[in-house]
Amino acid sequence: MNATATTAPNRSTRSPLRPVLRPRLSRNRIVIGLAKHAGMLSLLFVILYPVLWMIGASLRPGNETFTTLGLWAGDLTFDNYVEGWNAGSLSFGRYFLNSLVITGLCIVGNVVACSLAAFAFARLRFPYKRFMFALMLGTMLLPYHVTMVPQYVLFNELAWINTVLPLTVPKFLATDAFFVFLMVQFVRTLPRELDDAARLDGCGYVGIFGRIVLPLSIPAIGTTALFTFINTWNDFLGPLLYLNRPEMWTVAQGLNSFVDITTQSAYGQLFAMAALSIAPIVGFFLAAQRLLIEGIATSGLK
């Protein structure tokens, strides 16, 4: 009787405090959450402001392009898009087509070559594998400008100038060490028991690669494809070196044609076509962002 008498008051004294503390804690969490979201949205606006200003400038008349730092000013017009698309002797759509062809070939080359090289380094055993892997990683320390002149001399001797071959063929040779390293790290996370089970079913190295490793490496492949798309689409120096004819120009070269140091530059048309040129990158990123996160998080690069 004494035990029950002493415990009953304790329960009665604690129970009224719980409904008081819980609303306070929930309110604090809500306030902190709103403050975090407000700060993130403010930071996002600062980051995206140059892009939003460029889009706003593309919708202004040519004489109002640099009149204000605001997003919208004056009358909105789509003349810059129409004139920029049809400027010059070639339509800007031709530059989009050239960039899509080159980018598509580079994506295929990088995915095929880098996945094969990654499978070899991660699964096969051959002499001097560690040395060759270290040598491959060492190529990441070489800037592009060091190999630019020898490559140009080689491609010139092969009569590849003014073709897409200098920009696409090297991708099929696993020359991007970063993507090989990324895919090696991903393939190493795959259990080797899957390879042993495939060998029991009669698969060789080709079967293991095509039926086991390649389907499970979709996140790493998506990451490789996304970064290859962005790097190739935005590349200006490579096409500038090897593509001299206007009908072979890419989007980056087409944008450069709107700027002229000798005469007046068409900045309104430049901003309009620049706004269109980032649309494929944004779309490709939104479509592959889940694979991008999985590929980086599971490959040890996080």
Side-chain angles (χ1 to χ4, degrees), residues 35-158:
K36 290 181 179 179
H37 283 80
M40 294 175 63
L41 290 176
S42 300
L43 181 61
L44 178 64
F45 177 77
V46 173
I47 295 174
L48 294 180
Y49 179 81
V51 179
L52 298 177
W53 184 90
M54 179 188 68
I55 297 175
S58 67
L59 297 173
R60 304 173 196 163
N63 56 355
E64 298 180 6
T65 302
F66 299 104
T67 56
T68 178
L69 293 177
L71 297 180
W72 310 109
D75 299 330
L76 300 183
T77 178
F78 290 93
D79 292 341
N80 290 326
Y81 288 87
V82 177
E83 295 174 0
W85 189 266
N86 299 316
S89 59
L90 294 174
S91 171
F92 207 85
R94 180 60 181 269
Y95 305 146
F96 269 91
L97 180 60
N98 294 336
S99 292
L100 287 175
V101 171
I102 294 174
T103 303
L105 291 175
C106 290
I107 291 176
V108 173
N110 254 350
V111 169
V112 173
C114 293
S115 60
L116 288 173
F119 176 75
F121 282 121
R123 286 294 196 260
L124 304 185
R125 295 181 179 178
F126 51 90
Y128 307 106
K129 183 176 74 172
R130 292 185 178 181
F131 172 76
M132 295 178 66
F133 185 70
L135 186 64
M136 181 207 67
L137 294 180
T139 60
M140 298 174 62
L141 302 177
L142 292 175
Y144 175 73
H145 305 82
V146 174
T147 60
M148 180 174 60
V149 174
Q151 286 182 354
Y152 185 86
V153 173
L154 174 63
F155 295 144
N156 188 36
E157 292 293 330
L158 295 175

Side-chain angles (χ1 to χ4, degrees), residues 28 84 114 151 153 172 185 219 224-225 241 300:
N28 292 335
C114 293
Q151 286 182 354
V153 173
F172 288 86
Q185 296 299 104
T224 302
L241 288 174

Side-chain angles (χ1 to χ4, degrees), residues 123-259:
R123 286 294 196 260
L124 304 185
R125 295 181 179 178
F126 51 90
Y128 307 106
K129 183 176 74 172
R130 292 185 178 181
F131 172 76
M132 295 178 66
F133 185 70
L135 186 64
M136 181 207 67
L137 294 180
T139 60
M140 298 174 62
L141 302 177
L142 292 175
Y144 175 73
H145 305 82
V146 174
T147 60
M148 180 174 60
V149 174
Q151 286 182 354
Y152 185 86
V153 173
L154 174 63
F155 295 144
N156 188 36
E157 292 293 330
L158 295 175
W160 285 4
I161 306 300
N162 284 321
T163 65
V164 299
L165 297 179
L167 303 174
T168 57
V169 170
K171 302 298 181 182
F172 288 86
L173 304 177
T175 56
D176 288 336
F178 172 78
F179 298 118
V180 177
F181 174 72
L182 184 146
M183 300 191 73
V184 165
Q185 296 299 104
F186 187 90
V187 174
R188 285 176 177 174
T189 62
L190 302 178
R192 289 184 176 269
E193 289 78 5
L194 298 175
D195 299 1
D196 298 335
R199 289 192 184 94
L200 292 177
D201 292 336
C203 287
Y205 288 120
V206 176
I208 294 174
F209 173 75
R211 298 183 180 183
I212 304 296
V213 175
L214 197 61
L216 295 177
S217 302
I218 294 299
I221 292 174
T223 304
T224 302
L226 177 60
F227 280 110
T228 302
F229 181 87
I230 295 175
N231 295 337
T232 307
W233 187 269
N234 293 331
D235 186 23
F236 175 71
L237 181 59
L240 182 65
L241 288 174
Y242 301 114
L243 304 178
N244 301 322
R245 294 182 298 180
E247 61 270 16
M248 298 293 298
W249 283 359
T250 60
V251 169
Q253 291 174 286
L255 293 175
N256 185 62
S257 64
F258 290 107
V259 180

